[in-house]
Amino acid sequence: MKKLLNIKTILIGLGLSCLTTTSCVDLEEQVYSQVTADNFFRTNEEFISALGAAYSSLGGLGNHSGLWSINELASDEIVISTKGGDWFDGGVLLQLHQHEFLPDNPFFQNSWNFLFGGINTCNRLIFSFQSLDNPNSAAFIGELRALRALFYYWAMDAFGNIPLVTDFTALESPGTKTRKEAYDFILSELNEVIPLLPTAKDGTTYGRMTKWAALTIRMKLYLNAEVYTGTPQWALAAADAEEIINSGPYSLMPSYKDNFLINNAGSTENIFVYPYDKVFAGGFNWVMMTLHIASQSTYNLTQQPWNGYQTVEEFYNSYIDPSKNPGVQGPVWKGLALSQSVGTIDGRLSNFLVGPQFRSDGSRLVDPGVEPFDATGRNGDPDGPPLTFMPYLNEIWPQGLRQAGARIGKYEFEMGGTNNMSNDFVIFRLSDVILSLAEARFRLGNTSQALALVNQIRARAGNLDPFTTLTEENLLAERGREMFVEMTRRQDLIRFKKYGQAWWPFQGMNRPKRVHQPGSHLELFPIPEPQLLANPRLKQNPGYN
């Protein structure tokens, strides 16, 4: 079996337990034993078994309408166009990309439930472990506190002012804490538990919180400290990044795309992952979310994809050097042809699926519903029904073209696959740490060191000339290319003061652009309306009242 024996096996066990529970029909079955604190939490294996419930909370990362979706759709990377009668969904998707956030958008409620569901599970297990007189419990409590800190970090980044709950037995509804209070709490938790966490990179720690994963969370807190608290912490961010790079057991993979294979447990670069499995730990649905309906025949999928998530054209074009490809700014079909060239473009274009599409037998794939080509040269497929993914997006509403937009190809798709993917979902990766160190050093004035680090990432990408100078613009662009759809782009744009600027692609389609300045209330999502109704002690973020 691939991957980790412990957490992976525990997740499988949780899935099997659900199956066996539903098959029980004898409601008066005699109970011969009970699991209690006295007779269960005695060995490391029993503690790890209990930890599975906390880690399984991460399973919501890889599917539609949750935390990943709100971060990516609100960035300049990803959009879901309304394709006639498909994907309007009451306008909630357009709200996200056009920065017209409303508290009743169900994506915010889904994200909140994901985050605080994970926090609640961590609190429950911490409470259980604290009640034990067992020397093994301290290390596992530290692991749970680090995982809880991750959920709180994501919540604070997305919603800013959030409740902080650590007592599982508390009966009173929690009030809202400021973003600075949340930042301080997360930092304090990490400072306390990092010395307690394991440092090994092996089967016993795969998919679990280690010192290096917790250091990455802290590095990211420091990297964004000026946004979160008003006070920059570049030197502290650099120190954590240096420790991970110099002392951690990680190295860049020779090939970028190998970090995202179906069997990517062997990556030397991935610091923290969630180990999905198409049978026992499902929920990684990108194959459904991005591929065209007709793509079922390309991969012999057991289900028909949804033809949803697309890449913003300008973001796709950022991978192609116009000085080497003079036609890239011309008609879309020249750009599309260039994307198939070798030796002239960023090797990380493996992130995308573009160009003519084929059945698994090699024959041309046909979409009978494809829009006809028109005289403008940009609307429709010039080949007619044969399906071609083109980077060009004509509009995001109301008649987005069915074949428009490069599709997300970052994770390898399985031939004969299901709606659930088995690739392990990458949460933290060494290249992010290297680029974070580069940025911290750049902010501190060490531009030559920063330049060398960025060029290390460009060299691995292949076919790219090294930068001769480093600017905020090309540093942000390099982060974008390397970290595509890894839930960092919205955060990066805010930190670089580019979020929602006038150049925002499709941000105000068919209406005046909503341009907002750095520090705008739109840098935070609204507290979901159902949470405010359920807990009057919560306060809505400014600008959404």
Side-chain angles (χ1 to χ4, degrees):
M1 180 183 295
K2 81 179 181 88
K3 312 181 184 42
L4 154 86
L5 185 59
N6 289 322
I7 288 300
K8 178 73 172 186
T9 304
I10 296 307
L11 293 173
I12 290 175
L14 288 172
L16 288 174
S17 69
C18 294
L19 292 173
T20 55
T21 299
T22 59
S23 67
C24 293
V25 294
D26 184 359
L27 301 182
E28 297 184 3
E29 182 178 5
Q30 184 175 355
V31 177
Y32 293 96
S33 64
Q34 267 186 313
V35 174
T36 68
D38 293 333
N39 67 14
F40 184 68
F41 293 123
R42 292 176 299 185
T43 68
N44 284 358
E45 289 75 16
E46 289 169 348
F47 276 101
I48 293 168
S49 178
L51 288 176
Y55 284 105
S56 67
S57 299
L58 294 168
L61 282 172
N63 46 54
H64 173 58
S65 82
L67 184 70
W68 179 84
S69 293
I70 65 172
N71 275 280
E72 294 300 339
L73 290 172
S75 80
D76 63 345
E77 290 181 316
I78 295 298
V79 68
I80 303 177
S81 66
T82 302
K83 304 169 186 70
D86 295 334
W87 287 102
F88 179 66
D89 294 2
V92 297
L93 301 166
L94 299 178
Q95 286 178 24
L96 287 167
H97 196 69
Q98 294 174 334
H99 291 190
E100 297 172 348
F101 310 137
L102 295 176
D104 65 353
N105 190 316
F107 282 50
F108 298 137
Q109 173 73 349
N110 294 344
S111 301
W112 186 281
N113 287 341
F114 162 75
L115 293 164
F116 285 93
I119 289 166
N120 184 65
T121 301
C122 290
N123 284 341
R124 173 174 59 82
L125 289 170
I126 290 170
F127 171 75
S128 298
F129 290 179
Q130 285 174 336
S131 66
L132 303 175
D133 182 17
N134 190 318
N136 294 323
S137 61
F140 294 107
I141 290 172
E143 186 175 345
L144 285 166
R145 289 171 67 188
L147 182 59
R148 183 178 65 184
L150 175 62
F151 282 114
Y152 268 125
Y153 157 69
W154 281 333
M156 181 265 297
D157 182 74
F159 297 104
N161 308 298
I162 57 174
L164 296 175
V165 182
T166 58
D167 183 0
F168 181 69
T169 65
L171 299 177
E172 185 179 8
S173 297
T176 304
K177 298 295 185 181
T178 67
R179 200 180 209 186
K180 174 65 164 58
E181 288 174 313
Y183 173 93
D184 289 341
F185 166 74
I186 299 165
L187 183 58
S188 174
E189 287 286 287
L190 292 171
N191 288 342
E192 289 186 24
V193 304
I194 283 172
L196 306 175
L197 296 172
T199 59
K201 180 186 182 298
D202 56 28
T204 67
T205 60
Y206 188 79
R208 292 173 59 187
M209 268 290 159
T210 63
K211 172 183 177 180
W212 315 112
L215 276 173
T216 306
I217 303 171
R218 193 171 72 179
M219 177 202 74
K220 287 178 169 288
L221 280 177
Y222 288 142
L223 193 71
N224 295 281
E226 187 171 14
V227 174
Y228 298 151
T229 72
T231 302
Q233 299 288 359
W234 304 116
L236 293 174
D240 279 349
E242 287 170 345
E243 184 171 1
I244 297 165
I245 294 168
N246 297 330
S247 302
Y250 304 99
S251 59
L252 292 179
M253 290 287 285
S255 172
Y256 168 86
K257 66 181 181 180
D258 286 350
N259 294 301
F260 311 102
L261 298 175
I262 297 167
N263 296 306
N264 58 342
S267 169
T268 61
E269 183 173 341
N270 294 338
I271 296 172
F272 185 52
V273 304
Y274 179 75
Y276 279 105
D277 182 275
K278 66 180 179 182
V279 177
F280 299 112
F284 193 4
N285 305 135
W286 285 14
V287 64
M288 295 289 107
M289 291 156 56
T290 192
L291 288 181
H292 192 282
I293 297 166
S295 300
Q296 182 176 18
S297 297
T298 302
Y299 298 97
N300 293 331
L301 301 173
T302 61
Q303 295 188 30
Q304 197 173 66
W306 309 333
N307 199 25
Y309 287 72
Q310 303 142 289
T311 306
V312 172
E313 181 184 4
E314 288 83 351
F315 193 88
Y316 171 86
N317 285 339
S318 72
Y319 286 75
I320 304 172
D321 184 350
S323 67
K324 293 183 177 180
N325 302 279
V328 72
Q329 301 303 328
V332 64
W333 298 109
K334 291 185 180 178
L336 183 60
L338 284 167
S339 72
Q340 310 304 313
S341 302
V342 177
T344 60
I345 54 173
D346 194 319
R348 292 166 297 193
L349 272 170
S350 59
N351 284 335
F352 309 104
L353 293 176
V354 294
Q357 299 299 295
F358 300 88
R359 296 185 181 87
S360 59
D361 63 7
S363 62
R364 192 76 160 85
L365 191 60
V366 173
D367 174 15
V370 73
E371 295 82 359
F373 185 63
D374 67 23
T376 68
R378 293 181 68 81
N379 290 336
D381 187 334
D383 295 331
L387 179 63
T388 300
F389 290 149
M390 57 184 184
Y392 170 65
L393 287 161
N394 63 314
E395 63 183 16
I396 62 171
W397 177 87
Q399 295 295 334
L401 299 175
R402 289 162 57 99
Q403 75 276 18
R407 305 310 167 97
I408 304 172
K410 184 155 186 163
Y411 285 87
E412 181 185 12
F413 295 133
E414 179 183 8
M415 291 297 297
T418 71
N419 59 318
N420 292 300
M421 299 164 63
S422 290
N423 319 59
D424 293 344
F425 189 92
V426 180
I427 297 173
F428 295 137
R429 196 158 56 88
L430 181 63
S431 61
D432 187 9
V433 176
I434 292 172
L435 289 173
S436 297
L437 178 58
E439 182 182 346
R441 286 180 170 172
F442 176 81
R443 305 286 187 186
L444 292 168
N446 300 323
T447 54
S448 60
Q449 297 174 1
L451 179 63
L453 289 164
V454 173
N455 281 334
Q456 181 183 354
I457 299 300
R458 287 180 63 79
R460 196 270 295 272
N463 304 318
L464 301 178
D465 294 332
F467 287 151
T468 56
T469 59
L470 194 62
T471 64
E472 278 200 10
E473 181 179 5
N474 61 19
L475 178 56
L476 175 62
E478 196 62 32
R479 278 198 61 86
R481 288 184 285 266
E482 179 70 19
M483 302 305 299
F484 175 65
V485 293
E486 293 186 53
M487 217 166 69
T488 65
R489 183 64 173 176
R490 169 184 158 272
Q491 184 185 87
D492 292 346
L493 290 168
I494 292 171
R495 188 173 66 254
F496 279 78
K497 299 180 172 59
K498 297 292 187 182
Y499 188 65
Q501 297 277 304
W503 49 265
W504 197 255
F506 293 105
Q507 190 268 332
M509 176 63 66
N510 298 331
R511 68 191 74 184
K513 286 183 179 291
R514 178 192 291 270
V515 180
H516 51 82
Q517 299 301 314
S520 162
H521 76 278
L522 294 165
E523 292 182 0
L524 291 177
F525 296 122
I527 306 298
E529 185 175 75
Q531 299 300 322
L532 296 172
L533 294 173
N535 180 5
R537 297 190 66 202
L538 296 180
K539 295 181 180 179
Q540 183 57 275
N541 286 326
Y544 295 109
N545 294 317

